[in-house]
Amino acid sequence: MTMSITAGFSVQSSTVHAGETDWSGFVENATYVRDAVGLSKFRNTFQGEFTHEIDSQSWSNVRINGILRGTYDGVYDLNDDEFGRDAQEPFLGSNFHDRGPATTVIPGPNTTILSAGVPFPCENDPLLCRNLDGYQDEKESDAIFPEFNDRLDFLRELYITADKNLANGDILNVSFGRQQVVWGKTDLFRVLDVINPVDFSRHNIYDELEDIRIPQWMITTEWRMGPNKLLDDSNLSFVWNIDKFRPSNLGTCGQAYRILDAGCFFASYLNAADLGIPLYDENVPIIHDVEEPAWSLSNTQYGVKWEGVYQDLTFSLNALHYRQQLPSLHFRPNELDPNLPAADGVFDIRFPRVNLLGGSADYYSGAIDAVWRLELAYTQGEELPRDANGHKETDIARYVIGFDKNQVIRSLGTSSAFLISAQVFGEHILEHESDMPNDEDNWIATLLFKGFYKNNRLSPQIIIAHDFGAEATVVAPSVSWIPDNHWLFNLGLNVKTGGGQKFFWSVAGTETYEPLARFTNGPIGVANREDELQFTVRYSF
């Protein structure tokens, strides 16, 4: 269904006429049930998309694009024993550490090094709310209605774009507004696609990236140069993120999805006073302060990309200056004993500047009728956590090798081709330390196998991801049914295995106040108790 609106207006000496506005969208309910927990998601979404064309004498393809989204997640009303401001959280790392001297010490069998995380700290703990200072401290209403906040997140996209035909036949495209800029073609894990932060609180790593990227106010330009004597096509693009810096959302303690359980870690205390450690009269908040950079021109982010096509090879070269979207923990030593944390907070959170150089290549092989994909990214300035010194700056190399093929398998009862997509993500830390929760080298492999039946209206698929370092696997089979052009039904499972091994309390093998070792289980392993049955119904208009 589309709606059309026609109007006209003039701007200075150039006549500009507004054309039609085309609307589309959907309403959706996603209901997930978690093993041993009950309802974990009852998300109701309305999304509307529009394109408004504008006729101009000096520009072509002028249009305003917009995506509006509103969500109500009823799980916080329907299962408030498990999620919400009254949730009862277990102590941190309870799934991954044996109870021993580090977790059960005098003065009592239930006293732990760390407290349980405080759900929705701004509604339960004024001290934590002040220390977190607007980061990972959402109120319950922010989780129930995630798009309706002072950052205007209901505006998924709102930008104007236009083309300028140059005298030599090249085309200059300019876009301005709130948008997503996508570099790379990977799923689940990002290598080059790091311009927009992401919202992991929506469904950890498992939702489509287009649904969890956090839009930013940006100016983008693209110079489309077309073919030349060597290349079949080429273009040069520039992106300038003029928005206030915004980190990725890891999920607040008390929410149904918290990647690596980091939100509860930030909302917890070192039980120094309860343990009778000298120098402490009160328990110590894990986070002392969050140092998010204020907006200024010097704090904006920018990048450039050159793309080319040579026969069956499509490639890009990328450069980006941005800020790390994941938090860096800076240890704060006690003035009287530098081996112990400061009495008013263990860590400060910072977001350092990062420079990225990388590239991508897609090669279509006619011999096997398949596409090989490669993405590379080398970063300078990232900071990773450590047990001993809190953090370390190190260069990191990341890469993904992908393979995509459409294959007819008639023995499976359909003449439609199956989609087979495999990826291997790699990460190498150049200045690795033994007390980092990240391995020096780690790999995550993913596989998608998707079929199409009944004129492509019935589509079973299975997605498998395996983290080699964490020895953890997620298997997500599902089947979708599209009975007509409006309705879509999807039934699926999300099951994790592994990630249950026990660790020393610290990565270095000593008993200390910071259980970084649990992060070695990765985003899949830390969620090893989040097996779910998932049902989604969508009506598109």
Side-chain angles (χ1 to χ4, degrees), residues 96 470-473 496-501 521 524-529:
F96 311 117
E471 300 180 3
T473 304
K496 294 87 172 175
T497 61
Q501 61 266 41
N521 266 349
I524 298 174
V526 170
N528 66 346
R529 299 190 180 186

Side-chain angles (χ1 to χ4, degrees), residues 191-407:
V191 176
L192 291 174
D193 186 18
V194 295
I195 295 176
N196 292 82
V198 294
D199 181 5
F200 292 112
S201 72
R202 186 171 172 88
H203 189 211
N204 208 312
I205 61 174
Y206 304 112
D207 273 11
E208 297 288 343
L209 283 170
E210 66 177 340
D211 293 324
I212 64 174
R213 288 190 196 93
I214 300 174
Q216 300 276 273
W217 293 96
M218 291 187 269
I219 300 172
T220 63
T221 62
E222 185 177 17
W223 178 16
R224 301 167 185 165
M225 295 171 279
N228 54 37
K229 293 181 180 180
L230 178 63
L231 299 176
D232 298 312
D233 195 12
S234 62
N235 63 73
L236 182 68
S237 60
F238 176 78
V239 56
W240 184 16
N241 185 345
I242 60 174
D243 212 338
K244 182 181 184 294
F245 169 76
R246 189 167 179 183
S248 292
N249 184 355
L250 308 182
T252 297
C253 197
Q255 285 191 264
Y257 300 98
R258 307 181 302 271
I259 190 168
L260 293 173
D261 204 28
C264 275
F265 174 49
F266 298 154
S268 65
Y269 286 86
L270 165 65
N271 293 327
D274 290 345
L275 294 172
I277 301 176
L279 307 181
Y280 299 100
D281 296 325
E282 295 181 344
N283 292 331
V284 181
I286 289 298
I287 302 302
H288 165 260
D289 189 29
V290 180
E291 299 182 13
E292 283 193 48
W295 187 92
S296 68
L297 284 176
S298 62
N299 279 330
T300 56
Q301 306 167 77
Y302 45 86
V304 62
K305 177 177 70 168
W306 177 53
E307 291 181 295
V309 178
Y310 177 76
Q311 297 183 5
D312 293 328
L313 177 68
T314 301
F315 63 89
S316 74
L317 297 175
N318 307 65
L320 181 68
H321 176 76
Y322 68 113
R323 282 191 179 270
Q324 182 172 311
Q325 296 162 355
L326 298 179
S328 175
L329 303 177
H330 286 229
F331 177 68
R332 305 178 64 253
N334 194 301
E335 293 181 356
L336 300 178
D337 185 345
N339 294 314
L340 294 175
D344 57 349
V346 180
F347 295 104
D348 284 335
I349 288 180
R350 298 180 185 174
F351 301 94
R353 297 177 184 271
V354 178
N355 292 313
L356 178 150
L357 293 175
S360 67
D362 294 0
Y363 175 71
Y364 171 72
S365 173
I368 60 174
D369 189 25
V371 175
W372 291 93
R373 294 182 284 109
L374 174 67
E375 285 186 34
L376 301 168
Y378 185 92
T379 61
Q380 295 178 315
E382 286 194 70
E383 295 178 353
L384 296 180
R386 297 182 60 187
D387 265 337
N389 295 320
H391 75 284
K392 181 175 182 178
E393 180 180 321
T394 177
D395 296 354
I396 300 177
R398 296 184 178 92
Y399 55 90
V400 60
I401 302 172
F403 175 82
D404 302 319
K405 181 174 175 59
N406 292 311
Q407 178 67 50

